[in-house]
Amino acid sequence: MRALGSCLVMPACLALVLSLLGSATAAALAVNDCSVTAQVSSHWALSTGDNQYAASISLLLSNKGTGTIAVPYDISVEGVGYSEVVQALNFDSTGTSTGVINGTASLYWETLLPLSANTVNLGLIIQTTSNASNVAPTSVSIAGKTCNLNITQTPGAAPAGGAIESGSDSLTTSNGNIIGLDGNVLNLMGINFFGFDDGNTMVDGLWAGSDQLTLDFATIVYRIQLLGFNAVRLPFSFQNLYNAAPKSQTQTCSAVTTEAILSSVTYPGKTDIPADQPVPTQASPAAQTPGVCNDYVPSDTTLDRFAWVVSYLAANDFYILLDNQFNLDTTVLDDYQQWLTWWPSLISTISQDATASLRIMVDILNEPDCNGLKWSAANGKPGAGDLYLAAMDAIYAVNPNVLFFIEGTGQSGLADNWGDGLCTDASTISSYGISDPNPFFTTLMGKQYLDQACICLLLLSCYILLLFVVVAPHIYPPSISKATSNYAGSGLFNRLSLSFGTLNKAGYCLPDGTCHQFAVCIGETGTAFTNALDNPAMADFASYLSNTGSGADGLHNAISNVFWWAWNANSGDTKGLVQDDWLTVNWNKVDWLASVGLAPWYANQFNPSSTSSSSSAAIESYTEPSPPTSGDGFSTATNTSSYGTNSSAIAAESSATAGLTTVNASVIGVSGLAIDLVGVTWPGFDDGNTMFDGLLDSASSFSQDFQTQVQRILSLGFNTVKIPFSFNDLSGLQPLDFVINCTLPTTAQLQSSVSNPNVTSPPGRSIPALNASAATEISGTCNSYLPNDSVLDRFLYVVDFLATNNLYVVLSNNVTADNTVAVSPSMWIQSWATLVTAVSAYPASKSHLILDFIDYPDKAGLKWEANNGLPGSGLSLCYPMACISIRCDAA
């Protein structure tokens, strides 16, 4: 037998393989089994003669039948006056006849799976003699059978003079904004995703995990889309693209459901998503082979693979920024002519895809400072300004629709990091003794890709060329830039406006008074949010970008285009948007991006104000019993209150419903009587363990089983458990599995484990029974009752389990492990409000809850009053209370 991936080709497996990969070629395709959605995005007149027009048409194919439509398959597109295919995406033209265009789909990922399991997008620019208002196809056939045809949009008749009617039809800039394909202002919310620059010959990370969520490129792209990103920056090395053989990315993997994909990019614990919340779909998902990831990724050459990745992103509505990663690729210095040849060659290759040709942007040279380049030639090295102009001239001749991104250089002292440094103010340049970009900008102002001039494009239609240059500095906080001053507050704002901020408001002006406002895009920014200095720096940077609060200095307009560095978990200094498992999202970073415009699929941040019915599911594995009327605790803590009344701290209190309070320096318990809190600290939800520590560290069932440990804690006389936790752990990690095989101890063994071997227990004393025990425990196992859907749900479960068993619970935010309070005080406050709201959904938890807002505030550098850009810890004691009015009785 021959192995196919991890599946041995035995009869059952063979039947599955044949059904997916080829049995449909022998089966008759029924009429209307195929479905086509056609959209005409534009229609314009050509200048080649009378009655000559062109139309841009998108076809979305799907297969509603029960058999696979395997490649290659024939496609016929019929329409009024159709005469020629001028340009095509995913369609190999085989000829035309009157009104009919014929072609084939031959790429392996164009296989149409049954039951509409995938879609394939085709793009056509066709020539027609029709100037009718409807130039959409009248019929589409696949494999000789007519498909069900749906028309979603058609433009009106093309006007004389040939101006393209729908939008600008290319990316442009105007008045300091980027203008999208629809003619409206476009805000780029982007993510850097590297791998084509480091020898991997594909974006990194496709080696992580065991299922599609981390192993499959198309699924990762969908996750990026769901998080709200509309752009991807692809760092690359020309040496990798043209000289490195592609490494195989195909491997076996487990399939995942759409629900699992959504869950992976939804803030854990978020419960306020409306039931009818629309879920974005992929415009052109890859054809997946069950049990295999990335077999659709080309492996002929790295260049073709890179072009395919760009095309795939473009087909799924992303804008793509191509970035020559200068720190890893010095071709421009080693062989300038080769570099100048490769840039237009690369753009020409990618532009063969009609969709990608309109969605690509070019970051010509990443961080020129990294190899000592100045704006003008110096020290035996070319000037960055000259390199920019030469590359733009060469690329513009190949594709005049490309946006050019220009990074700063040579202004260390004013600029804090590579890629910044675009200051054009003469006095500032002189004062700092920094490199002068004015010769570059003066030359640029006369270039045709900056002029508003009428030129002729492909298809000979006259088109108004708008503005194609974007200023793209890189800005990082102190942990990356190593800045010791001007990284926050007015110092930061002044520095940013001097460098590039004024370019998008006052603009760059020539001596004759001609000025141009440049669009600005932050090509890189990021942090791991582990350095205390980064926190105020990033908070103030967000204010500057949004042009709000103290960041509104009057010198710049709001900057709404940002690329975060990076998706990659293997980004050493900044870490990734995903954590080391390449799966778990770092929600601190998403929240910062949301503050400057990112909108995840669920439309808002993790700020639920109420708990839905799904919140209560965390503790469904056991039912809270009726409160006991008496107890027979093995150990009893006796309290003498100011009222002279003795009470059992363990057994008698759950009958009361009041919360904790204080009177005359005494803590008043739920029974209304004074109590002494005798507690034990139990970490684990603060160190990445996603459960109390120790349950997997011993071969003994005494310490392996959670509820057994709770019973031992009660037996030793404790009435309180302090739980250190990290908001990052609760919301940013996946729960580890704690189910293990074990034999639970007998009552006698359990009693022995908590008895002093040198003391004889009083007659009749026995270990206390639990008020509530797990109802779904599997015989022969420990911890099978613990929730595994999310860390937050598990946390809610254990808090309620402890409280139901008459233990007071102290929730303590461990700032040593979690610096959310310093990174984003507002998010920290809302996180506390959300957590306490969720915990308080359970009556026992609500009445037994104690909040320790900041554990060891000194370790986070906090003082009582605000200091060094950090909030005062004293405020934290009142802010959460203002947010959590329902919990005033518990703190």
Side-chain angles (χ1 to χ4, degrees):
M1 292 179 290
R2 181 169 61 91
L4 180 64
S6 62
C7 178
L8 290 177
V9 185
M10 296 185 291
C13 188
L14 180 61
L16 175 62
V17 171
L18 289 176
S19 69
L20 290 174
L21 298 182
S23 60
T25 58
L29 178 64
V31 175
N32 292 336
D33 271 357
C34 57
S35 177
V36 177
T37 299
Q39 179 178 17
V40 180
S41 59
S42 58
H43 179 217
W44 64 99
L46 305 178
S47 57
T48 54
D50 294 338
N51 299 319
Q52 294 295 314
Y53 305 93
S56 177
I57 302 172
S58 173
L59 302 175
L60 192 66
L61 315 182
S62 63
N63 171 20
K64 299 186 297 181
T66 57
T68 298
I69 305 175
V71 294
Y73 51 83
D74 296 329
I75 305 172
S76 293
V77 183
E78 184 174 349
V80 177
Y82 287 8
S83 61
E84 183 180 350
V85 176
V86 179
Q87 199 166 9
L89 164 70
N90 302 336
F91 180 90
D92 300 323
S93 179
T94 58
T96 59
S97 57
T98 303
V100 180
I101 292 171
N102 298 306
T104 61
S106 58
L107 301 172
Y108 47 87
W109 50 269
E110 292 180 284
T111 293
L112 289 168
L113 299 178
L115 303 178
S116 301
N118 72 317
T119 57
V120 171
N121 188 45
L122 307 183
L124 297 172
I125 297 179
I126 58 98
Q127 190 167 326
T128 176
T129 58
S130 174
N131 191 30
S133 60
N134 187 359
V135 294
T138 57
S139 177
V140 177
S141 298
I142 294 177
K145 299 296 183 180
T146 303
C147 302
N148 181 51
L149 181 62
N150 177 42
I151 308 297
T152 60
Q153 177 184 348
T154 57
I164 296 178
E165 190 171 11
S166 80
S168 64
D169 213 38
S170 66
L171 290 172
T172 59
T173 71
S174 177
N175 299 321
N177 295 306
I178 296 176
I179 306 300
L181 301 179
D182 59 359
N184 296 318
V185 172
L186 170 66
N187 298 328
L188 293 174
M189 294 306 303
I191 188 77
N192 283 270
F193 200 175
F194 62 79
F196 281 101
D197 57 339
D198 59 11
N200 188 44
T201 71
M202 183 59 181
V203 292
D204 284 348
L206 305 187
W207 57 71
S210 61
D211 60 34
Q212 285 178 259
L213 290 175
T214 54
L215 290 172
D216 184 62
F217 171 70
T219 304
I220 294 168
V221 170
Y222 187 32
R223 294 178 68 210
I224 292 172
Q225 174 192 345
L226 290 170
L227 281 169
F229 294 100
N230 65 353
V232 175
R233 185 173 183 255
L234 293 175
F236 72 88
S237 160
F238 280 118
Q239 299 299 329
N240 282 196
L241 298 190
Y242 284 89
N243 294 328
K247 298 178 181 179
S248 175
Q249 304 295 323
T250 303
Q251 54 187 309
T252 57
C253 65
S254 301
V256 296
T257 63
T258 300
E259 288 73 19
I261 297 174
L262 290 173
S263 177
S264 75
V265 290
T266 302
Y267 214 126
K270 182 169 178 62
T271 60
D272 64 343
I273 302 174
D276 59 352
Q277 176 75 25
V279 178
T281 58
Q282 282 189 296
S284 182
Q288 302 280 358
T289 301
V292 181
C293 283
N294 307 315
D295 59 334
Y296 49 83
V297 175
S299 292
D300 46 354
T301 68
T302 302
L303 177 62
D304 284 349
R305 175 181 288 173
F306 186 74
W308 178 88
V309 166
V310 173
S311 294
Y312 184 82
L313 291 168
N316 284 286
D317 300 326
F318 284 92
Y319 297 94
I320 305 95
L321 180 55
L322 311 178
D323 160 47
N324 184 204
Q325 198 72 0
F326 188 30
N327 59 311
L328 297 175
D329 176 17
T330 57
T331 302
V332 67
L333 298 181
D334 303 332
D335 191 342
Y336 166 73
Q337 288 300 328
Q338 183 64 76
W339 180 79
L340 199 57
T341 299
W342 271 341
W343 254 127
S345 173
L346 175 62
I347 299 304
S348 178
T349 298
I350 292 172
S351 297
Q352 293 178 32
D353 179 334
T355 303
S357 70
L358 297 176
R359 287 180 168 268
I360 55 174
M361 306 169 290
V362 170
D363 194 340
I364 299 169
L365 199 62
N366 181 73
E367 298 179 349
D369 321 57
C370 73
N371 281 298
L373 268 59
K374 309 296 184 184
W375 278 104
S376 299
N379 303 319
K381 296 181 179 179
D386 295 331
L387 296 176
Y388 288 153
L389 293 167
M392 286 191 286
D393 286 344
I395 294 169
Y396 183 79
V398 172
N399 184 343
N401 299 313
V402 171
L403 281 188
F404 299 112
F405 280 52
I406 303 300
E407 298 187 29
T409 191
Q411 295 190 349
S412 177
L414 173 64
D416 272 349
N417 44 259
W418 294 337
D420 193 6
L422 291 139
C423 176
T424 59
D425 179 69
S427 61
T428 302
I429 291 171
S430 175
S431 174
Y432 280 89
I434 53 182
S435 185
D436 185 1
N438 280 287
F440 163 77
F441 279 102
T442 299
T443 304
L444 180 65
M445 292 286 280
K447 288 289 184 179
Q448 61 182 6
Y449 33 81
L450 204 64
D451 282 341
Q452 295 186 0
C454 188
I455 64 170
C456 288
L457 300 179
L458 180 66
L459 304 178
L460 304 179
S461 59
C462 196
Y463 183 74
I464 300 299
L465 181 63
L466 300 178
L467 311 175
F468 288 85
V469 177
V470 177
V471 169
H474 295 182
I475 304 297
Y476 284 101
S479 66
I480 312 299
S481 68
K482 309 306 179 186
T484 58
S485 62
N486 296 332
Y487 56 79
S490 60
L492 172 69
F493 306 145
N494 292 338
R495 184 173 64 78
L496 298 183
S497 286
L498 278 173
S499 177
F500 58 84
T502 58
L503 290 174
N504 87 324
K505 187 167 185 177
Y508 184 80
C509 299
L510 295 174
D512 65 2
T514 301
C515 296
H516 169 62
Q517 287 176 282
F518 282 90
V520 174
C521 176
I522 306 303
E524 288 183 19
T525 190
T527 174
F529 281 122
T530 57
N531 184 308
L533 295 181
D534 285 7
N535 305 328
M538 292 301 288
D540 286 348
F541 184 36
S543 297
Y544 185 84
L545 292 177
S546 58
N547 203 23
T548 58
S550 58
D553 61 359
L555 300 176
H556 76 292
N557 292 323
I559 297 168
S560 55
N561 306 294
V562 177
F563 283 81
W564 184 267
W565 185 278
W567 177 265
N568 300 59
N570 58 338
S571 177
D573 47 9
T574 64
K575 304 297 183 182
L577 192 78
V578 287
Q579 298 184 26
D580 289 346
D581 58 3
W582 292 83
L583 170 65
T584 307
V585 173
N586 188 317
W587 292 102
N588 277 347
K589 300 183 180 186
V590 173
D591 279 324
W592 186 90
L593 286 162
S595 74
V596 296
L598 185 72
W601 74 273
Y602 45 83
N604 59 290
Q605 291 178 248
F606 173 48
N607 288 326
S609 57
S610 62
T611 303
S612 72
S613 58
S614 63
S615 298
S616 62
I619 206 151
E620 286 178 355
S621 56
Y622 76 89
T623 302
E624 295 184 21
S626 300
T629 57
S630 63
D632 107 327
F634 180 72
S635 296
T636 301
T638 302
N639 305 307
T640 303
S641 74
S642 57
Y643 308 102
T645 304
N646 295 329
S647 65
S648 167
I650 296 177
E653 292 172 358
S654 62
S655 60
T657 58
L660 289 162
T661 187
T662 63
V663 174
N664 297 329
S666 296
V667 176
I668 307 301
V670 294
S671 64
L673 304 177
I675 60 170
D676 292 331
L677 296 176
V678 182
V680 61
T681 299
W682 201 355
F685 284 98
D686 58 340
D687 58 13
N689 194 41
T690 72
M691 183 55 190
F692 293 123
D693 289 343
L695 299 185
L696 299 180
D697 296 342
S698 172
S700 169
S701 58
F702 293 104
S703 57
Q704 289 176 328
D705 184 63
F706 165 63
Q707 69 173 2
T708 301
Q709 290 287 68
V710 173
Q711 195 169 9
R712 296 176 74 206
I713 289 171
L714 285 167
S715 300
L716 289 169
F718 294 104
N719 65 356
T720 308
V721 174
K722 178 180 177 181
I723 308 178
F725 73 90
S726 161
F727 284 118
N728 294 329
D729 284 20
L730 298 189
S731 63
L733 297 180
Q734 294 296 316
L736 301 177
D737 188 2
F738 281 80
V739 180
I740 54 176
N741 295 324
C742 71
T743 301
L744 294 176
T746 64
T747 300
Q749 290 171 328
L750 192 58
Q751 182 167 326
S752 175
S753 75
V754 291
S755 299
N756 186 332
N758 299 317
V759 176
T760 302
S761 298
R765 285 291 178 90
S766 63
I767 194 166
L770 292 173
N771 287 335
S773 59
T776 59
E777 185 170 7
I778 300 173
S779 178
T781 68
C782 287
N783 308 314
S784 57
Y785 45 84
L786 291 178
N788 279 316
D789 46 355
S790 74
V791 180
L792 179 60
D793 280 349
R794 178 179 289 173
F795 188 78
L796 297 176
Y797 176 96
V798 300
V799 170
D800 194 51
F801 190 93
L802 294 169
T804 303
N805 283 288
N806 297 318
L807 286 162
Y808 294 102
V809 183
V810 181
L811 304 186
S812 176
N813 185 207
N814 182 1
V815 297
T816 304
D818 173 15
N819 64 345
T820 304
V821 64
V823 172
S824 177
S826 60
M827 186 179 76
W828 177 79
I829 291 169
Q830 186 59 57
S831 296
W832 260 119
T834 301
L835 177 61
V836 175
T837 299
V839 170
S840 299
Y842 310 108
S845 296
K846 181 177 181 179
S847 61
H848 286 74
L849 191 60
I850 303 169
L851 306 183
D852 182 1
F853 294 113
I854 306 175
D855 189 31
Y856 292 113
D858 317 63
K859 292 187 177 181
L862 302 181
K863 309 295 183 184
W864 279 106
E865 302 288 342
N867 187 53
N868 296 326
L870 298 173
S873 63
L875 294 178
S876 69
L877 300 178
C878 60
Y879 280 2
M881 292 305 296
C883 297
I884 314 172
S885 58
I886 62 169
R887 289 305 310 141
C888 287
D889 60 335

